[in-house]
Amino acid sequence: MNGQVFRIDVRRFGQGSFCSRIHWRHGLWLGLAFFGSLALAYAQSEPEQQVPSAIATLILWLPFILKGFGLNLLMSFIAMAAATVLGIGLGLLQVSRSPLLRAPAWFVTHLFRNSPWLVILFIVMFLVPFEMRLPGGDTVRIPDWVKATFAFSLPVMANISEILRGAINSIPKGQWDSAESLAFTRGQTLRWIILPQCVRRAIPPWMNWYALLALATPMASILGVREAVGNAQAAMEAAGARPELLIPFYLFLLCLFFAYIYPIAIWTRKLERKYVVAN
């Protein structure tokens, strides 16, 4: 066999030959396509966003949480005012001479006084309709925070009723007899002699119950009321529900309520020492 059949002509792959030009052009296009695809992928890829810290997230959502805390205060003010008015009336009925008035007042007082606040909250939230139709045909929507405020006022009403009953019974019986000897009626005796003395006795426990009421208002967040705790939970969900947010957010809520309630507790103790009744 002729050996020239297997001979390779090196000149065909020399510089400037046809095969050499095809080889280098093919490699150049492959390189350009590879680096172009890398550049396109880098250009289309979004830069990784830096996740803010837990403290930075808390500072960002701070106005939103404080707005909810304002609703806590509003609920506590309205509930305490309603509980005071209703509790005074219920307490006066408890000391009535008529059993027909005294027995129902005693039952209502002890019913709400010895019931869990959360159970009362659920009952009021689900029994009270979310809207009310007026006689003219108009419809008035009842917000959830209004229903929660009414629910919180019921147990406080019962305790204020018991406070008033105890304060009235703590007045010495001789003052009743003296007022009766001066021809005072029972209503006049209560209004001008007994109740003014009960105010000093009732103020410290009244303030104590307001502090307990303000501390109980976050329970409304369980039923969707957007107070401080509800807003804090919504803020954590909006920030990604990261576990590291739990401690800063809830610790801030604790400090917020402590800073509001603790001065009231100190003031209550001072009033207790000032208005202490000597035996």
Side-chain angles (χ1 to χ4, degrees):
M1 182 180 295
N2 192 357
Q4 293 181 356
V5 177
F6 298 96
R7 184 179 302 171
I8 299 175
D9 191 358
V10 182
R11 291 175 300 175
R12 297 177 58 189
F13 298 93
Q15 184 71 23
S17 64
F18 176 75
C19 293
S20 175
R21 288 194 299 271
I22 293 178
H23 174 75
W24 289 108
R25 287 177 182 177
H26 182 66
L28 179 62
W29 282 112
L30 284 177
L32 291 176
F34 176 73
F35 288 106
S37 62
L38 288 180
L40 182 62
Y42 179 80
Q44 291 180 349
S45 64
E46 296 180 357
E48 184 179 356
Q49 296 181 354
Q50 185 178 3
V51 178
S53 63
I55 302 299
T57 305
L58 175 61
I59 295 175
L60 178 65
W61 290 97
L62 195 60
F64 185 61
I65 298 175
L66 293 178
K67 180 181 178 181
F69 184 67
L71 182 58
N72 285 96
L73 300 183
L74 179 63
M75 291 170 61
S76 66
F77 295 153
I78 298 177
M80 197 64 192
T84 301
V85 174
L86 297 175
I88 291 175
L90 199 61
L92 292 176
L93 291 178
Q94 280 202 91
V95 298
S96 174
R97 290 179 174 176
S98 174
L100 296 178
L101 297 177
R102 189 171 60 249
W106 179 90
F107 175 76
V108 172
T109 297
H110 287 275
L111 174 65
F112 289 112
R113 189 167 180 256
N114 298 287
S115 298
W117 289 32
L118 188 59
V119 175
I120 297 175
L121 178 63
F122 272 100
I123 291 175
V124 172
M125 293 293 286
F126 290 119
L127 289 184
V128 176
F130 67 93
E131 62 181 12
M132 183 178 298
R133 187 175 298 276
L134 300 177
D138 297 333
T139 301
V140 177
R141 184 176 180 85
I142 304 176
D144 289 338
W145 71 268
V146 174
K147 294 190 286 185
T149 301
F150 175 70
F152 290 133
S153 68
L154 295 178
V156 181
M157 170 199 70
N159 284 278
I160 291 178
S161 171
E162 195 65 14
I163 289 171
L164 182 61
R165 184 198 63 81
I168 291 175
N169 291 337
S170 68
I171 303 298
K173 190 176 182 299
Q175 297 195 29
W176 290 92
D177 297 336
S178 300
E180 187 177 0
S181 65
L182 295 174
F184 279 87
T185 64
R186 183 175 176 82
Q188 290 173 338
T189 304
L190 279 172
R191 181 179 180 183
W192 301 110
I193 300 175
I194 304 300
L195 290 181
Q197 300 179 68
C198 293
V199 172
R200 300 179 61 179
R201 289 171 163 83
I203 283 181
W206 181 88
M207 293 180 61
N208 186 48
W209 275 108
Y210 171 73
L212 293 175
L213 171 62
L215 291 175
T217 53
M219 285 193 297
S221 63
I222 300 175
L223 298 177
V225 178
R226 288 301 180 89
E227 40 73 60
V229 176
N231 281 3
Q233 292 173 346
M236 286 187 286
E237 292 178 2
R242 291 177 286 150
E244 62 269 19
L245 299 177
L246 294 174
I247 293 179
F249 273 73
Y250 284 110
L251 186 61
F252 173 74
L253 290 172
L254 187 148
C255 295
L256 185 62
F257 279 93
F258 176 80
Y260 179 70
I261 298 299
Y262 186 66
I264 298 177
I266 295 177
W267 192 14
T268 302
R269 287 199 296 268
K270 290 182 178 180
L271 291 177
E272 286 177 350
R273 291 193 295 267
K274 181 179 179 180
Y275 294 150
V276 62
V277 178
N279 295 326

